[in-house]
Amino acid sequence: MKKTIPFVEIVSTGRFLPPSVTTNADLESIVDTSNEWITTRTGIKERRLAGNEISAAQMGAKAGVDALDKSDLNASDIDLIIVSTATPDRLLPSMACDVQALIGAVNAVAFDVGGACSGFLYGLTVAEGHIATGHATNVLVIAAEKMSSILDWNDRSTCVLFGDGAGACIVQRSAGSRGIIGTYHGSDGNLAELLHRPPGGLVKMSGQEVYRNAVRSMALASERALEDAGMKAEEIDLLIPHQANVRIIESTARYSGIPMDKVFVNVDRYGNMSSATIPVAMDEAIEQGVLEEGMNVLTVAFGAGFAWGALAIKW
Ligand code: UT7
């Protein structure tokens, strides 16, 4: 579906990162790893870990309140809360209901979407559908991930890669030319075993296969979202990719024809926060003055499922 006129726009963003920083050197005392290995293979230098003091829902609520504070809305104006998480504090109720209670969004409908690392982009597309059909007006889309709670801290091939954090945005009907103008999503459940968490267990990943599929699928999703928007890679001012590994980001950018000076990277400071990486990156990019109104933005994600997607956004 081609949308030269966007249905919805992101009117504000927010984030919350737990304050406790764990460096690669800190991990050297937990598993048989080295700062050198982690830095050269992934680009990650440190990550935030939430510890026992803060839950995933609390992180999500803080990111949501930050997005509300940067908008002209109150919590009671929100009529839909969509939470993306692979790490709910409990399985029932949905984390979105816990977030709703924490922020006092008494007029909202609240539910979760499960799209693993791609969940935030899926959440934006669900929000777009609700707004386009007139079922919602002010949508809070949150991604909140406490990856530390599902990691095997004896498995050096996974535990060094991830971090905790939350990001959020408020989505409304587009008032003009700003908004989502290109969309592409894909999934392949046949490859689920390559990155999964068995019931009651911890994250298991076949790193190299995930890596190869990530690059291929993110490049394809970028191309399709640009096609949907009727745009060329040269027109993109900023690429905001899912932050799992700087080498995946560099390959995706190269295949997509976007130079690295137009790519936002913060994986060095936070590691892979699953679906929270993109909204956190958006909020930081705005704060740093890297992301400004009028820019053509491409955002792309890949993760467990496999599930992937990309959106082209006139910011
Ligand atoms: O959000 C989407 C989900 N995740 C991803 O996108 C991650 C995708 N995968 C990757 O980023 C990379 O595959 C990794 C960073 C996970 C691994 O990098 P790699 O270059 O593919 O390394 P590898 O798995 O081939 O492992 C190479 C070596 C192995 O040793 P041997 O068998 O060659 O002796 C591993 O045992 O590195 C070893 N190794 C480590 N060494 C030190 C694995 N983890 C570590 C570690 N520290 N933490």
Side-chain angles (χ1 to χ4, degrees), residues 117-122 214 217-218 221-222 240-242 277-278 299-303 307-311:
C117 296
S118 302
F120 179 73
L121 299 189
Y122 290 8
S217 299
M218 285 167 84
S222 299
I240 302 183
H242 171 51
T277 66
I278 288 175
T299 179
V300 57
F302 175 88
W308 58 92
L311 300 178

Side-chain angles (χ1 to χ4, degrees), residues 2-315:
K2 200 154 259 172
K3 304 184 286 291
T4 39
I5 301 169
F7 292 130
V8 296
E9 63 179 301
I10 292 171
V11 295
S12 72
T13 59
R15 71 181 189 275
F16 174 79
L17 283 316
S20 174
V21 176
T22 299
T23 64
N24 293 346
D26 296 331
L27 293 180
E28 288 176 3
S29 60
I30 299 175
V31 283
D32 180 15
T33 191
S34 65
N35 175 39
E36 202 266 331
W37 190 95
I38 302 171
T39 306
T40 53
R41 301 284 174 137
T42 72
I44 300 166
K45 294 200 164 75
E46 58 187 47
R47 71 286 294 138
R48 304 295 179 92
L49 299 181
N52 294 327
E53 291 76 40
I54 186 152
S55 68
Q58 286 168 329
M59 289 195 290
K62 284 176 183 291
V65 167
D66 189 31
L68 275 169
D69 287 347
K70 292 174 188 157
S71 76
D72 54 8
L73 300 175
N74 298 312
S76 58
D77 297 321
I78 298 297
D79 51 11
L80 175 59
I81 298 175
I82 299 170
V83 172
S84 162
T85 187
T87 57
D89 306 304
R90 49 183 176 173
L91 291 178
L92 212 67
S94 71
M95 206 163 91
C97 286
D98 283 332
V99 169
Q100 176 192 23
L102 285 166
I103 68 178
V106 290
N107 297 312
V109 177
F111 59 83
D112 293 353
V113 293
C117 296
S118 302
F120 179 73
L121 299 189
Y122 290 8
L124 285 180
T125 299
V126 175
E128 184 179 35
H130 276 255
I131 292 170
T133 52
H135 295 135
T137 306
N138 301 317
V139 185
L140 183 54
V141 182
I142 295 173
E145 305 282 11
K146 191 170 177 177
M147 295 303 292
S148 58
S149 68
I150 61 165
L151 295 175
D152 180 348
W153 288 98
N154 295 311
D155 177 8
R156 67 176 183 175
S157 71
T158 52
C159 74
V160 304
L161 304 174
F162 295 92
D164 301 334
C169 70
I170 294 175
V171 183
Q172 292 179 334
R173 183 174 280 277
S174 178
S177 60
R178 295 190 67 228
I180 297 170
I181 50 173
T183 302
Y184 178 79
H185 295 304
S187 310
D188 186 353
N190 289 312
L191 301 175
E193 300 312 308
L194 296 174
L195 175 51
H196 70 117
R197 179 188 170 213
L202 300 165
V203 171
K204 293 184 188 314
M205 179 169 75
S206 306
Q208 288 194 357
E209 280 98 322
V210 175
Y211 188 107
R212 273 194 294 274
N213 280 279
V215 172
R216 192 182 311 129
S217 299
M218 285 167 84
L220 173 86
S222 299
E223 191 185 313
R224 294 286 168 82
L226 285 175
E227 244 171 59
D228 192 40
M231 288 174 77
K232 295 197 172 1
E234 305 86 86
E235 295 174 75
I236 292 300
D237 300 304
L238 189 66
L239 174 65
I240 302 183
H242 171 51
Q243 312 275 322
N245 181 326
V246 76
R247 289 157 57 214
I248 296 178
I249 293 172
E250 285 165 357
S251 297
T252 303
R254 192 167 55 248
Y255 284 119
S256 305
I258 297 172
M260 278 305 288
D261 62 358
K262 292 185 176 173
V263 183
F264 191 83
V265 178
N266 63 6
V267 70
D268 51 321
R269 286 178 290 123
Y270 303 128
N272 182 347
M273 299 181 288
S274 189
S275 65
T277 66
I278 288 175
V280 167
M282 285 174 169
D283 193 52
E284 284 201 334
I286 292 168
E287 199 171 273
Q288 293 172 15
V290 176
L291 175 51
E292 291 175 324
E293 198 164 326
M295 279 185 163
N296 293 324
V297 177
L298 182 64
T299 179
V300 57
F302 175 88
F306 290 149
W308 58 92
L311 300 178
I313 304 171
K314 172 69 81 178
W315 201 267

